[in-house]
Amino acid sequence: MTNGQNRQWSRDGAQPSFPITGKLIEVGTNTPVEFATVSVFRVRDSTLATGGISDDKGFFNIESGPGRFYLKIQFMGYEDVTVPNVNLGRGNTTFDAGKIEVRQDQRMLEEVVVQAERTQMELTLDKKVFNIGKDLSNLGGSATDILDNLPSVQVDVEGNVSLRGSENVRILIDGKPSGLVGLSSNDALRQLNGNLIERVEVITNPSARYDAEGLAGIINIVLKKEKAKGINGSFQINTGVPANHGGSINLNFRRDWVNFFTNFGISYRRNPGSGDAFQQFGDPVTRTTDRTRDMNRGGINYSTRFGADFYLNEMSTITLAFLYRFSDENNDTRIEYFDNYLTTNEDSITLRLDDELEDDENLEYSINYTRNFKRKGQKLTADIQYQNNNEIEGSDLVETTGTTFGNQIPRLYQRSNNDEIEERLMLQSDYTHPFGKDGKLEGGFRYTDRLVGNDYLVEESDDAVVYTVDTNISNDFEYEEKVFAVYGIVSNKINKLSWQLGLRYEDTNLTTFQKTQDQRNVQKYHNFFPSTFLTYQLNEKHSVQASYSRRIRRPRGRFLNPFFSISDSRNLFVGNPLLQPVFTDSYETGYLMNNRSSSFYVGVYYRYSEGITQRLRSTDDEGITTTRPYNVSKEDSYGVEMNASKDVAKWYRVSGNVNFFRAFTPGGSVSFENEITTFNSATATSLTSRLSNNLKLKNWFDAQINVSYRAPRNTVQGKRFSITSIDLGFSRDVMKKNGTISLSVRDLLNNRKYRGETFNPGFQEVSTFQWRSRTTQLSFTYRLNQKKQRERRRREFEEGDFEGGDF
């Protein structure tokens, strides 16, 4: 260690800076120890004077004032090192510590590994965070598979996502609406490669900072993005039965002022599914129908995102990103109707075949500017995002009839083409300004303009030669939604009590235009959405919270567009252009306990909704069942949710979730044009639960067993039956822990089936449907320049958790 010679002091009396330099290397390997903390303490009182971080080659260079100091080197997984006698002044203007050896702390490394393994689910009072890579049953799956595997989240037979029993949930990508969700979020989530997802955040009572959209809350899907210096990333390939083959790449390349990042995922999937239903028509019953449905959906899908972070200086960053998703699918459906007419004792068989080609393309361009300030927590962001999505569905349908399969006679040929486009522009800015010790002011605005066009053409023929347009079904529909929002939030802390008050204002202008009938419908509404949060810290490990927020659910294009889906000619879905928004007041209080080896959360929630939307079914004299959404009534719902996790032993961790809820909807009737549909009052009492067992079997492999259960639930027109399923997963690290081989089995007993019954005047149905049968997946992941312990510390430093201002 050496000291420099005399340095001239400035004539104006200002003190010059004194550099402290050195290099950190690991004992035994002589490899650089990067991104370690180097703190400079004053000898007289051991107070922190300044400090810095070692670079990717282990070097550090810290500017200090004069004085007598000592250095302390700290890094997760390594023993602390102290360097004494760092004396700087007129005679010693520099200090070179030379090479400093640091030794791995084996005890600490074991604790770090245990802590890292416990992060499959992270609990906080305002949200739950699920780290996808920790759940072995998700490997090789789609975004839908991942969501369906989360506590309190369910995906039904049509792909609709619900949270705590409510389908009115907002799905975001990286905190914003995204082209990855696409025009039809149900199909888009099935096509989104799950390997691109880093984590999912479930926010059940969002603050005014978030969109007011989504009655039950927000599900935010966070994509993978690396920031570490140099070249880093991961590669994954997978194969499975039924056909599920694909791969993904996540890479970044960073130098001092720029970080390039990219994700690419490609998959080929086939989803064989089936269902059956027994229907009774009339009162008394005059006809019964046994309906069976077999389908095989899927094709090739790929998604890519690439961009760059430009570090203009220490405080300012501009991020440019482009996202592209494309899918090319072929969906085959076979429906068989076995009709029995009780009055005439006649039987007939009708066969309907649907060969559909579906192309889906999504493009998204985004610019983000982030400006940090010297004061910790002060931040300004600005975003511009533009999306251009299109989806084309073309079907060839043939319907035959006869008394047996051997004497089928073609009776109808149909072909349909559904051309749907979407454009979305979003402008957003947010600012955070801290005050006092714990106070904070937040404010911002967002403007979105979303235009959706849907040109639906149906043609029919008796001989498959000459086709004519069916004007009763064909429709050209346009939907535009403009929303301008501003918000403000103030928060502070008084002793152990933290509080937050927020208010959001949203101005909505919604227009639907049926070009075919030249019918235009305009809705305008202006609403305030308050939010309140109170948190009391009982001690370091225990806290309680109470919160309130007001939410809205605006009707979407599919629910407003009155076109028919003709895949099943006897079961139609049509929209309702008269739908109104739904408003909800949401209350929640909870208790959270976080220990080193366990966590526990219990919360009680209540939601009051006005104008709740329900999909109601009606049946005409010919046995055609039509499903249409209506604003039916108000709804009172409340529930209790519990989450817990426990490290039982170093080799065994268990976690679980139980959500009990009860919702009451009064009965009544609704009308559309000349059609009146009645529905009964319903008290839906149900629960969902999930138990996850994680085992680390020495150095052989890791194993996971998940068991989920959904209890029966009443609806306004029937009942949904229970579902129980089991998932298994196994993984083993290879290639010096740079690679991982994983095997998973989803729905081990092949009983993840949606079963239910429907009751209407003159109509009853009992049905079963399975979207996809049991799946088995084998995958291999290779990590390039990724070290788990060091990567966590590096990421914290890159994202600003360790700032020079703290010194």
Side-chain angles (χ1 to χ4, degrees):
M1 302 180 185
T2 62
N3 293 321
Q5 302 302 315
N6 290 339
R7 173 176 291 182
Q8 294 295 323
W9 291 69
S10 62
R11 297 194 179 191
D12 59 5
Q15 292 184 359
S17 61
F18 297 81
I20 301 173
T21 60
K23 182 179 181 180
L24 307 181
I25 60 174
E26 186 176 270
V27 173
T29 65
N30 289 328
T31 57
V33 178
E34 71 272 30
F35 303 100
T37 302
V38 182
S39 304
V40 181
F41 291 93
R42 298 180 181 90
V43 172
R44 67 175 185 269
D45 55 8
S46 296
T47 58
L48 181 66
T50 184
I53 300 289
S54 61
D55 63 19
D56 57 352
K57 296 181 181 178
F59 289 102
F60 63 88
N61 188 334
I62 302 170
E63 299 292 333
S64 173
R68 298 175 60 219
F69 308 98
Y70 64 90
L71 307 181
K72 191 169 186 179
I73 289 89
Q74 296 172 300
F75 188 68
M76 184 179 291
Y78 289 82
E79 296 177 357
D80 294 350
V81 176
T82 300
V83 179
N85 302 323
V86 181
N87 302 317
L88 298 170
R90 290 182 180 272
N92 305 310
T93 56
T94 64
F95 183 88
D96 182 7
K99 292 184 178 180
I100 303 174
E101 294 185 327
V102 293
R103 185 184 306 275
Q104 288 190 0
D105 186 339
Q106 296 301 321
R107 179 183 57 83
M108 179 65 72
L109 282 177
E110 291 176 0
E111 292 178 355
V112 168
V113 170
V114 170
Q115 183 70 15
E117 292 298 327
R118 197 170 59 86
T119 57
Q120 178 181 332
M121 178 177 65
E122 300 174 11
L123 294 175
T124 63
L125 281 169
D126 61 341
K127 64 183 175 183
K128 293 183 284 291
V129 180
F130 301 93
N131 296 305
I132 301 308
K134 300 293 182 182
D135 195 332
L136 300 180
S137 62
N138 287 324
L139 296 174
S142 67
T144 297
D145 297 329
I146 289 173
L147 294 181
D148 198 28
N149 221 17
L150 298 182
S152 301
V153 179
Q154 301 86 40
V155 182
D156 69 10
V157 62
E158 297 177 354
N160 299 300
V161 179
S162 61
L163 175 61
R164 288 178 169 175
S166 173
E167 293 180 3
N168 297 309
V169 59
R170 177 74 154 163
I171 298 177
L172 304 176
I173 304 291
D174 289 334
K176 302 178 183 66
S178 175
L180 281 179
V181 177
L183 287 162
S184 172
S185 60
N186 302 350
D187 289 335
L189 290 173
R190 291 189 183 110
Q191 296 162 3
L192 176 57
N193 195 323
N195 298 335
L196 303 180
I197 299 174
E198 178 177 331
R199 66 182 186 272
V200 177
E201 300 173 345
V202 178
I203 308 169
T204 53
N205 219 8
S207 70
R209 184 186 306 111
Y210 297 93
D211 275 348
E213 179 75 26
L215 305 184
I218 293 173
I219 295 177
N220 182 33
I221 298 173
V222 180
L223 302 180
K224 295 177 180 177
K225 178 185 173 183
E226 293 291 342
K227 291 184 178 181
K229 287 189 175 182
I231 300 178
N232 301 269
S234 62
F235 308 84
Q236 180 169 314
I237 57 174
N238 62 271
T239 185
V241 178
N244 186 358
H245 318 296
S248 64
I249 299 173
N250 299 281
L251 284 175
N252 84 290
F253 173 74
R254 178 168 179 180
R255 284 296 178 253
D256 292 336
W257 61 276
V258 66
N259 174 52
F260 296 100
F261 57 88
T262 184
N263 315 103
F264 177 78
I266 185 170
S267 65
Y268 174 79
R269 292 189 179 96
R270 298 302 300 176
N271 299 316
S274 62
D276 60 76
F278 177 72
Q279 300 173 324
Q280 295 178 308
F281 301 90
D283 186 15
V285 177
T286 59
R287 194 190 89 194
T288 63
T289 297
D290 279 303
R291 186 188 73 215
T292 61
R293 180 181 181 184
D294 292 293
M295 53 189 295
N296 196 342
R297 301 174 59 89
I300 190 167
N301 307 278
Y302 60 84
S303 305
T304 183
R305 183 181 69 155
F306 58 86
D309 302 308
F310 297 96
Y311 302 92
L312 306 181
N313 52 49
E314 293 182 355
M315 298 295 182
S316 300
T317 305
I318 290 180
T319 300
L320 306 177
F322 171 71
L323 181 151
Y324 180 77
R325 184 178 71 87
F326 179 79
S327 66
D328 183 4
E329 297 193 343
N330 185 3
N331 306 319
D332 299 321
T333 304
R334 176 189 175 97
I335 303 176
E336 300 172 357
Y337 308 93
F338 297 83
D339 297 310
N340 176 240
Y341 296 89
L342 303 181
T343 56
T344 60
N345 201 27
E346 294 179 353
D347 296 335
S348 68
I349 297 176
T350 301
L351 176 64
R352 187 172 177 85
L353 304 177
D354 181 2
D355 183 9
E356 179 191 63
L357 298 178
E358 179 180 353
D359 291 336
D360 194 353
E361 185 179 46
N362 309 108
L363 297 92
E364 180 179 298
Y365 312 84
S366 62
I367 302 175
N368 168 267
Y369 171 73
T370 299
R371 173 74 162 90
N372 292 302
F373 299 85
K374 290 184 178 180
R375 185 168 186 175
K376 185 175 182 180
Q378 187 177 3
K379 186 177 183 180
L380 172 68
T381 63
D383 293 272
I384 302 176
Q385 184 186 81
Y386 173 74
Q387 298 175 29
N388 187 352
N389 309 322
N390 66 83
E391 181 179 307
I392 299 177
E393 299 174 349
S395 289
D396 287 315
L397 303 104
V398 179
E399 187 171 304
T400 64
T401 187
T403 56
T404 66
F405 284 113
N407 62 0
Q408 291 287 301
I409 300 175
R411 60 175 295 270
L412 179 64
Y413 298 90
Q414 291 178 309
R415 59 189 186 193
S416 67
N417 187 78
N418 189 20
D419 188 354
E420 191 170 3
I421 62 170
E422 177 189 33
E423 290 185 86
R424 184 201 298 265
L425 173 66
M426 187 199 74
L427 307 175
Q428 177 176 329
S429 183
D430 302 276
Y431 175 69
T432 302
H433 185 85
F435 66 90
K437 181 181 178 181
D438 299 301
K440 187 165 55 175
L441 290 172
E442 299 177 65
F445 80 92
R446 174 183 286 189
Y447 171 77
T448 57
D449 187 350
R450 179 172 181 253
L451 176 66
V452 176
N454 187 291
D455 189 359
Y456 187 59
L457 176 67
V458 178
E459 299 176 301
E460 295 185 353
S461 174
D462 295 329
D463 55 10
V465 177
V466 178
Y467 283 84
T468 59
V469 176
D470 187 337
T471 57
N472 294 322
I473 302 178
S474 301
N475 186 43
D476 193 356
F477 178 80
E478 192 174 271
Y479 162 89
E480 184 172 20
E481 178 188 86
K482 297 179 181 180
V483 180
F484 175 75
V486 294
Y487 75 91
I489 297 175
V490 58
S491 60
N492 209 335
K493 185 176 182 180
I494 304 173
N495 296 325
K496 295 184 177 182
L497 177 66
S498 301
W499 57 269
Q500 181 193 93
L501 298 176
L503 182 65
R504 188 179 185 92
Y505 169 79
E506 293 190 352
D507 180 281
T508 304
N509 191 327
L510 191 153
T511 303
T512 61
F513 181 34
Q514 293 177 221
K515 297 181 179 180
T516 307
Q517 289 82 22
D518 193 26
Q519 296 178 357
R520 188 182 300 270
N521 182 36
V522 179
Q523 297 184 29
K524 295 183 180 181
Y525 30 93
H526 324 280
N527 308 102
F528 288 95
F529 300 93
S531 64
T532 303
F533 291 83
L534 296 173
T535 302
Y536 186 78
Q537 197 76 31
L538 300 173
N539 54 43
E540 184 179 345
K541 299 177 181 179
H542 303 266
S543 54
V544 293
Q545 186 198 57
S547 62
Y548 161 77
S549 67
R550 184 166 172 82
R551 312 288 298 163
I552 187 175
R553 176 65 173 178
R554 300 179 183 88
R556 290 306 179 191
R558 179 172 181 262
F559 276 19
L560 294 170
N561 187 2
F563 77 86
F564 291 77
S565 174
I566 62 171
S567 177
D568 185 343
S569 61
R570 299 192 188 183
N571 293 273
L572 309 176
F573 178 86
V574 298
N576 182 354
L578 303 180
L579 276 183
Q580 298 294 309
V582 184
F583 294 93
T584 290
D585 292 287
S586 178
Y587 305 82
E588 183 168 355
T589 183
Y591 161 78
L592 175 65
M593 181 273 291
N594 262 326
N595 282 326
R596 186 175 187 85
S597 61
S598 63
S599 63
F600 174 76
Y601 173 82
V602 58
V604 179
Y605 59 89
Y606 169 73
R607 294 192 299 259
Y608 173 75
S609 301
E610 297 174 328
I612 198 74
T613 302
Q614 293 272 7
R615 292 188 294 270
L616 303 182
R617 302 178 69 182
S618 59
T619 306
D620 62 19
D621 295 336
E622 297 181 1
I624 307 300
T625 300
T626 300
T627 301
R628 177 181 281 122
Y630 293 93
N631 295 107
V632 294
S633 182
K634 65 180 182 179
E635 182 182 78
D636 287 286
S637 61
Y638 52 90
V640 179
E641 181 175 18
M642 290 182 288
N643 295 275
S645 66
K646 173 67 176 176
D647 292 330
V648 180
K650 289 185 177 180
W651 56 272
Y652 177 49
R653 173 169 47 87
V654 61
S655 61
N657 165 272
V658 176
N659 176 46
F660 169 84
F661 60 91
R662 181 182 177 93
F664 174 74
T665 304
S669 64
V670 291
S671 62
F672 183 83
E673 296 179 345
N674 296 323
E675 178 184 302
I676 298 177
T677 303
T678 62
F679 56 94
N680 300 320
S681 61
T683 300
T685 303
S686 188
L687 68 85
T688 62
S689 61
R690 184 173 186 259
L691 181 67
S692 179
N693 300 273
N694 297 268
L695 303 95
K696 193 175 186 65
L697 305 179
K698 293 186 177 181
N699 294 321
W700 302 336
F701 57 85
D702 294 349
Q704 186 178 90
I705 306 172
N706 296 332
V707 181
S708 62
Y709 172 75
R710 301 180 194 175
R713 178 181 179 179
N714 293 327
T715 67
V716 295
Q717 289 188 319
K719 185 177 183 179
R720 302 173 191 170
F721 299 128
S722 64
I723 301 176
T724 304
S725 61
I726 300 175
D727 300 330
L728 299 179
F730 305 91
S731 71
R732 178 179 172 85
D733 290 336
V734 295
M735 303 173 68
K736 298 181 179 180
K737 295 191 175 182
N738 289 318
T740 302
I741 298 175
S742 303
L743 175 69
S744 66
V745 181
R746 184 173 172 84
D747 193 12
L748 177 66
L749 303 180
N750 200 34
N751 57 358
R752 185 172 284 164
K753 300 177 181 180
Y754 301 87
R755 302 172 299 124
E757 56 186 10
T758 301
F759 298 101
N760 276 336
F763 174 77
Q764 298 180 41
E765 179 187 78
V766 179
S767 61
T768 301
F769 185 80
Q770 184 177 33
W771 181 261
R772 190 178 189 185
S773 59
R774 176 179 50 235
T775 61
T776 303
Q777 288 287 130
L778 179 66
S779 67
F780 171 73
T781 302
Y782 179 77
R783 293 174 288 276
L784 176 66
N785 293 335
Q786 290 188 333
K787 301 179 180 67
K788 293 179 181 178
Q789 287 77 32
R790 293 187 185 180
E791 184 62 26
R792 175 182 295 181
R793 182 67 185 91
R794 176 188 302 139
R795 194 159 49 236
E796 291 174 355
F797 171 68
E798 300 289 355
E799 294 174 354
D801 290 349
F802 188 97
E803 300 181 4
D806 291 347
F807 294 108

